[in-house]
Amino acid sequence: MNTKLLISPQSLTSLLAEKSSQAIIIDTRIPEDYVISHIPQSINIRDFFTYLLENSYPAGLEKLQEYFAEIMSRVGISGAERLIVYEDTLNKGYGQSCRAAFLLKYLGCAQVSILHGGYRAWLRAGLPTTDEVPLPESSIFRLHPNADMMVTTAEMLQAIDNPAIIKLDVRDRNEWLGLSSSPYTVDFCPRKGRIPNAVWIEWHRMMTSESESMFRSKTEILEICQSVGITEDSIVYVYCFKGSRAANTLIALQVAGISARNYFGSWNEWSRDFSLPVDSRVM
């Protein structure tokens, strides 16, 4: 089934009105915001944003799979449903709903969409909200990991000197410049800098104004990408700190028809392995 990656508030409302839709809405915001108000029938799974991959080797990926399979089973998701994820606004949450969509697809969920514009777009459309928390029955989540979606550390290392693969860093400016190691604290990671031979596009450039936070058009995204040598024919490995802003950028690249994969371990993994090269020059 071809499920559109981005869904508008109006289309989501229509989907929910279909009795046979089997749609489940996932709220990725902090629980404190969720309990105040949320989209009716949505369930809160903050872990999609907070979980840090131990490493992208088989043991680390297996641990990730088991962790989320347990959560999904507990909240009644089997993986066969139509899943819609949302955050407050796409350019403020460091890519959290896109990270959720990426993980759901990686785990084997075929029908995943992101609420375009987030919860703020839902509110602007004048659609209903609630503070009622649903109590779903448990289920059994069926894991079908899609390894091709995930760039591993070994694959990124192999790609460093391969000009046919563009290494795209989408972190915030201070991280790219080597002034900070993460969006958490300056020294959260043991090393600062960049993966060698990477190019940089700050992630929020792919979206429109702060008041709407929608993804830009294909033409605009391609123009931004061309500034660093990325075209529709490019192969791109995207990274950030923990694969979240990278997931947001991945959506934009897909909108533009560009083939890309997410180095999900990103800087949090790369910087902690001192055997891996780092371009540590302060730009």
Side-chain angles (χ1 to χ4, degrees):
M1 179 178 290
N2 182 20
T3 302
K4 287 186 177 180
L5 198 50
L6 299 173
I7 187 170
S8 69
Q10 294 78 10
S11 295
L12 177 54
T13 300
S14 299
L15 177 66
L16 295 176
E18 298 174 11
K19 294 182 179 179
S20 61
S21 66
Q22 290 189 314
I24 295 176
I25 309 174
I26 299 172
D27 184 316
T28 64
R29 299 174 301 156
I30 60 173
E32 293 83 355
D33 287 342
Y34 170 78
V35 297
I36 293 172
S37 69
H38 49 264
I39 295 174
Q41 295 304 309
S42 63
I43 56 175
N44 182 246
I45 308 179
R46 181 63 174 172
D47 305 67
F48 281 122
F49 179 63
T50 57
Y51 184 89
L52 284 177
L53 182 68
E54 193 170 287
N55 60 69
S56 57
Y57 295 96
L61 292 175
E62 184 176 345
K63 186 175 180 181
L64 176 147
Q65 293 163 18
E66 292 174 350
Y67 181 87
F68 282 103
E70 191 278 328
I71 289 176
M72 302 282 271
S73 296
R74 177 159 31 93
V75 298
I77 298 175
S78 70
E81 303 87 353
R82 174 77 185 273
L83 303 174
I84 299 92
V85 295
Y86 74 92
E87 59 188 287
D88 186 59
T89 179
L90 291 172
N91 60 355
K92 294 293 186 182
Y94 277 75
Q96 60 190 250
S97 63
C98 299
R99 192 181 201 251
F102 175 82
L103 280 170
L104 288 166
K105 282 182 165 291
Y106 168 73
L107 294 168
C109 302
Q111 303 178 70
V112 182
S113 297
I114 298 159
L115 180 60
H116 202 191
Y119 191 53
R120 294 295 165 180
W122 181 269
L123 295 177
R124 285 196 301 271
L127 296 168
T129 64
T130 185
D131 61 359
E132 294 182 7
V133 177
L135 297 173
E137 295 183 3
S138 63
S139 179
I140 298 177
F141 180 74
R142 306 294 184 184
L143 266 172
H144 299 285
N146 183 356
D148 292 340
M149 291 182 62
M150 193 89 71
V151 175
T152 65
T153 292
E155 289 174 319
M156 182 60 92
L157 182 61
Q158 290 177 342
I160 281 181
D161 295 318
N162 183 354
I165 299 176
I166 296 178
K167 284 66 67 178
L168 177 59
D169 186 320
V170 299
R171 295 174 297 165
D172 290 1
R173 184 178 184 83
N174 281 349
E175 294 167 82
W176 164 255
L177 293 177
L179 301 174
S180 178
S181 71
S182 83
Y184 293 154
T185 60
V186 170
D187 296 313
F188 185 87
C189 295
R191 295 190 288 173
K192 303 180 184 73
R194 298 152 296 280
I195 292 177
N197 298 324
V199 297
W200 177 62
I201 299 175
E202 201 164 10
W203 68 287
H204 60 71
R205 288 183 61 196
M206 299 296 190
M207 288 164 287
T208 57
S209 66
E210 289 191 5
S211 61
E212 292 185 349
S213 75
M214 311 287 277
F215 285 104
R216 294 186 182 275
S217 68
K218 176 178 180 177
T219 300
E220 291 174 311
I221 293 169
L222 283 174
E223 185 176 341
I224 293 169
C225 288
Q226 285 167 0
S227 68
V228 295
I230 297 174
T231 70
E232 289 179 88
D233 298 322
S234 298
I235 299 172
V236 184
Y237 287 0
V238 193
Y239 78 94
C240 57
F241 164 70
K242 62 176 184 181
S244 190
R245 289 167 288 178
N248 180 286
T249 304
L250 201 69
I251 303 302
L253 295 177
Q254 290 172 347
V255 167
I258 296 170
S259 176
R261 295 171 65 197
N262 190 347
Y263 173 37
F264 193 72
S266 285
W267 192 251
N268 185 57
E269 178 178 0
W270 188 274
S271 67
R272 297 180 190 283
D273 185 342
F274 283 79
S275 71
L276 299 173
V278 165
D279 179 357
S280 58
R281 297 169 296 158
V282 177
M283 304 287 275

